[in-house]
Amino acid sequence: DSINYYKYLEKRSIKFESDNHLVLKKPIIAIYLSIPWDGTVYGSNGDFKSQKDLIDAILENSNLNLNFNFVFRSHPNEDSMPEKASNYIINKLSSLESSNVYVIEPKNTLTSYQLSKKSALNILYSGTLSLEIAYARKPIIICGRNLLYGASGLKFISKKNELKNILKRKKFSTFIPSKKSINEILKKISMVHYEDTLTQAYRDWE
């Protein structure tokens, strides 16, 4: 019923200390959602026709690596959408009974930059956040076709089995973009459009 649902939602929502530090004892694998999250978008790639496919694959395999907490960061503007990824994830969790999956809801003040700084691995489907995380040389894998697609030195995933094997790992340092790949990325895109967002990202990473 609705009462039990919201109790479960509260249990699975991220808790914070006063300074916005995550209250989680295990290292984090962070997943960042963009909008629309549940339909086929320009990023369709192999087994991942939409972000929903990516969400399902991560939820189904989260119990294979109990050394990590899997933290989904909902898009800050998701509340404007008719269907919310956070609600979908919570409903899936109630049947999967995963103990290491959490959701950061749209209005939460913790930024994606702050979360990426604390995360052992960052997983994205699409969105400009992939540029910012790669630029900061944080461990990252990308599962959709986005503006960085094809750049050397970045890990792009199109198969669920490959993602499953990655999620079993204990370390993810091999997914840190090289300085050479960052230089290629900067040449590939127009930095005029992203200067402000990278500046804000560095404020939060410091």
Side-chain angles (χ1 to χ4, degrees):
D1 57 31
S2 60
I3 294 178
N4 288 331
Y5 169 78
Y6 281 107
K7 285 183 178 179
Y8 193 84
L9 177 62
E10 183 178 358
K11 179 182 177 182
R12 277 282 158 240
S13 295
I14 285 291
K15 295 180 175 63
F16 294 91
E17 296 172 353
S18 58
D19 58 356
N20 270 353
H21 288 177
L22 290 171
V23 185
L24 294 173
K25 295 182 179 180
K26 298 177 183 179
I28 296 168
I29 295 176
I31 307 95
Y32 306 84
L33 305 176
S34 55
I35 50 177
W37 71 274
D38 58 347
T40 300
V41 295
Y42 72 93
S44 180
N45 185 31
D47 290 343
F48 305 109
K49 304 302 182 187
S50 72
Q51 285 188 104
K52 184 176 179 293
D53 293 329
L54 175 59
I55 292 171
D56 288 343
I58 292 172
L59 291 177
E60 290 164 6
N61 294 293
S62 60
N63 62 347
L64 297 178
N65 196 342
L66 298 177
N67 295 313
F68 289 86
N69 283 313
F70 291 77
V71 177
F72 286 86
R73 178 53 169 116
S74 300
H75 193 280
N77 294 328
E78 187 185 85
D79 278 338
S80 63
M81 304 298 291
E83 298 292 334
K84 296 179 176 57
S86 53
N87 291 349
Y88 176 80
I89 294 168
I90 295 300
N91 281 325
K92 292 280 287 189
L93 283 173
S94 62
S95 60
L96 293 173
E97 297 184 352
S98 297
S99 60
N100 60 333
V101 179
Y102 295 85
V103 177
I104 299 178
E105 296 185 81
K107 292 182 180 179
N108 201 293
T109 57
L110 185 80
T111 70
S112 297
Y113 311 129
Q114 292 168 327
L115 178 60
S116 68
K117 183 179 179 180
K118 302 173 184 296
S119 299
L121 177 66
N122 301 281
I123 302 176
L124 296 97
Y125 183 78
S126 61
T128 57
L129 183 63
S130 58
L131 164 65
E132 297 151 16
I133 293 177
Y135 190 63
R137 302 191 64 219
K138 308 296 180 183
I140 179 175
I141 61 175
I142 301 170
C143 299
R145 290 177 176 267
N146 68 354
L147 76 166
L148 301 185
Y149 192 79
S152 65
L154 295 181
K155 185 64 175 178
F156 297 91
I157 303 295
S158 62
K159 300 295 182 183
K160 290 183 179 180
N161 281 340
E162 187 176 7
L163 177 63
K164 179 179 180 180
N165 290 331
I166 288 174
L167 296 181
K168 293 179 182 178
R169 293 189 180 195
K170 294 182 179 179
K171 295 182 179 179
F172 305 100
S173 57
T174 56
F175 302 123
I176 297 175
S178 66
K179 291 182 179 179
K180 182 178 180 181
S181 67
I182 296 303
N183 290 333
E184 179 181 331
I185 290 168
L186 297 181
K187 292 178 182 177
K188 186 175 181 179
I189 63 173
S190 173
M191 290 304 298
V192 173
H193 300 292
Y194 301 106
E195 184 175 355
D196 289 342
T197 190
L198 289 175
T199 299
Q200 179 60 47
Y202 269 110
R203 289 196 189 106
D204 285 347
W205 279 319
E206 290 178 349

